[in-house]
Amino acid sequence: MHRSAMPNALPETMAAMSLTGHGGVEKLVYRQDVPVPSPGPGEVLVQVTATAKNNTDRKAREGLYPTEDKADVTSFAMGGEATLTFPRIQGADVVGRVAAVGEGVEDSRIGERGLLDFNLYPNARRHLNLTPDYYGHGADGGFAEYVAVPADQFHAVNNPELADAELAALGMCSYQTAYHMLTASEVSAGERVLVTGASGGVGTALIQLCRIIGAVPYAVSTPAKADDLQALGAEAVIDRHDLPTFVERVLEATDGAPVDAVMDLVGGEMTTLFIDTMIQNMARRGTYPRLSIAGASGGNVSEILWTRIYLYQVRISGVSHGTRAEAEQLIGWIREGQLKPVLHGAFRLSALHEAEHYFVNRGSGFLGKIVIVPDSQWETHGAPFALDHKESGS
């Protein structure tokens, strides 16, 4: 039994984008006859107004999370059995308003606007999510008109200056991952941090979070994005091209000072160069070189000399999710206005195929997040941020 804003006000069915199997965008099927979920004990039913798109949506759909063999095409199943079953509604970074509450949740929450902490946590209250699993993968997410989620993970955010699409661009999938990259590497004030893949959702989050904790971020990207990244807080932007001179250009940007930690979202060929960058001028460093990894957009296999790792005592942290406490800290910073949304544009839910193509083929001007808005919410929450008539599916 649940309580809603008005008796019998909730529809029985909804529009949703249903993932029907591993493969291309043809596996995403737009349906308008999906049953509206009912909130269980301790849950709220959220009427979705915006959900940020993440690269993990595409990678999960295409089966690009091999965990045993580099050639695997599968979904990750680190907790044992695979939790990505079909059909599945993807979409992790959900924003909306509470439409109904389940048993044990106060009626006063109905109508509340909030942002979802996307994790499917183990039972421990503030435990690190080591499964790793999340809404949109092991449970249905926000590429729909409604979603049922735990009440204590749907955090109220009432900042009137943040539109719903902008709030979705501040979602936990990117920001909590970025924050845990920094905490896992024990980055502290005054340290120099190299951020690869700096123009994406996690990269732009890392730049802002470095500044909040007092670290100095150096972004690896393209010259076309330099002004925007520096406006976000990057101390300098190092061109990711011309790999043979990469280390030299990083040291030029830091005035010869060593990099203390690397936040790597790229992997592949460049990771070896990041290791080389970290071990420059070791005698002057005074701290262990650290590497946090949370992506492999440049390749799933990197060649690193283990002698470099153990002789220079490099500390490597793999990061996919964070803790409840980190999520709650991020919500606090969002409420205080310390984090700035980096919203690239919005697409209708029914145009998710076009959004996926746009995301994969994004050009040099792409910065930040794409947000998906249910068609029924488009005029209010999506149209002001549409890229243009063709791209937005208008």
Side-chain angles (χ1 to χ4, degrees):
M1 180 68 67
H2 66 265
R3 288 99 64 205
S4 61
M6 295 175 58
N8 304 316
L10 293 174
E12 294 184 358
T13 60
M14 65 178 181
M17 189 64 74
S18 181
L19 178 63
T20 59
H22 289 304
V25 294
E26 74 280 357
K27 296 295 186 179
L28 291 166
V29 178
Y30 186 65
R31 296 177 52 190
Q32 295 179 280
D33 60 350
V34 177
V36 172
S38 181
E43 291 187 332
V44 294
L45 179 69
V46 176
Q47 184 174 28
V48 179
T49 54
T51 301
K53 208 195 99 53
N54 293 290
N55 199 37
T56 190
D57 300 321
R58 176 189 65 84
K59 295 183 75 173
R61 168 173 54 80
E62 294 181 356
L64 298 180
Y65 281 117
T67 56
E68 295 184 6
D69 183 271
K70 65 183 181 181
D72 283 350
V73 177
T74 185
S75 173
F76 57 79
M78 293 177 67
E81 296 183 4
T83 60
L84 176 57
T85 57
F86 305 109
R88 172 66 74 221
I89 298 170
Q90 293 186 293
D93 290 329
V94 181
V95 169
R97 285 162 178 77
V98 175
V101 297
E103 182 182 348
V105 182
E106 295 292 332
D107 289 351
S108 60
R109 295 203 61 180
I110 294 174
E112 174 185 283
R113 183 181 80 156
L115 171 64
L116 176 67
D117 171 1
F118 76 125
N119 288 277
L120 292 173
Y121 288 109
N123 290 331
R125 174 67 183 91
R126 297 184 184 274
H127 199 281
L128 174 66
N129 184 3
L130 290 174
T131 314
D133 211 351
Y134 57 93
Y135 284 89
H137 184 274
D140 285 340
F143 291 161
E145 291 183 300
Y146 292 91
V147 63
V149 298
D152 67 351
Q153 287 181 229
F154 190 70
H155 297 281
V157 180
N158 298 315
N159 305 35
E161 69 276 10
L162 281 178
D164 287 29
E166 292 173 317
L167 180 56
L170 290 168
M172 294 293 112
C173 189
S174 291
Y175 279 82
Q176 191 195 40
T177 299
Y179 190 31
H180 195 65
M181 291 179 79
L182 295 170
T183 60
S185 285
E186 298 180 344
V187 172
S188 59
E191 292 192 310
R192 289 167 290 275
V193 179
L194 188 68
V195 178
T196 76
S199 64
V202 179
T204 54
L206 278 164
I207 290 170
Q208 295 187 67
L209 290 167
C210 279
R211 290 302 185 183
I212 286 178
I213 67 174
V216 184
Y218 293 84
V220 180
S221 189
T222 61
K225 300 173 184 177
D227 289 346
D228 288 333
L229 292 173
Q230 287 183 290
L232 277 178
E235 186 75 8
V237 178
I238 298 103
D239 191 348
R240 69 186 183 197
H241 301 103
D242 191 16
L243 295 185
T245 68
F246 181 77
V247 173
E248 176 184 332
R249 289 183 286 113
V250 170
L251 291 173
E252 181 181 353
T254 64
D255 293 325
V259 170
D260 297 293
V262 174
M263 305 292 109
D264 186 15
L265 305 166
V266 177
E269 181 183 3
M270 292 188 74
T271 294
T272 301
L273 290 172
F274 302 151
I275 298 295
D276 287 339
T277 300
M278 287 196 298
I279 66 176
Q280 299 294 320
N281 303 319
M282 282 294 299
R284 296 170 52 197
R285 183 184 309 278
T287 61
Y288 290 101
R290 287 147 284 157
L291 172 65
S292 280
I293 302 169
S297 61
N300 203 37
V301 179
S302 302
E303 294 185 5
I304 301 174
L305 291 173
W306 285 114
T307 47
R308 286 192 183 274
I309 301 300
Y310 72 76
L311 289 175
Y312 290 100
Q313 304 187 68
V314 179
R315 296 181 175 182
I316 301 178
S317 300
V319 174
S320 58
H321 295 253
T323 67
R324 288 181 185 265
E326 288 168 346
E328 290 162 2
Q329 174 64 81
L330 288 164
I331 291 294
W333 284 330
I334 292 171
R335 289 170 177 162
E336 294 166 5
Q338 293 196 56
L339 291 172
K340 176 183 177 182
V342 186
L343 174 61
H344 183 74
F347 284 82
R348 294 177 185 267
L349 177 61
S350 62
L352 186 57
H353 287 196
E354 288 84 346
E356 292 280 359
H357 286 305
Y358 184 87
F359 184 84
V360 170
N361 299 307
R362 58 194 186 274
S364 60
F366 188 98
L367 187 76
K369 305 290 286 188
I370 285 175
V371 167
I372 307 302
V373 175
D375 292 38
S376 58
Q377 302 288 333
W378 178 255
E379 291 305 319
T380 299
H381 299 292
F385 305 101
L387 294 170
D388 62 34
H389 181 82
K390 179 179 179 180
E391 293 167 340
S392 68
S394 297

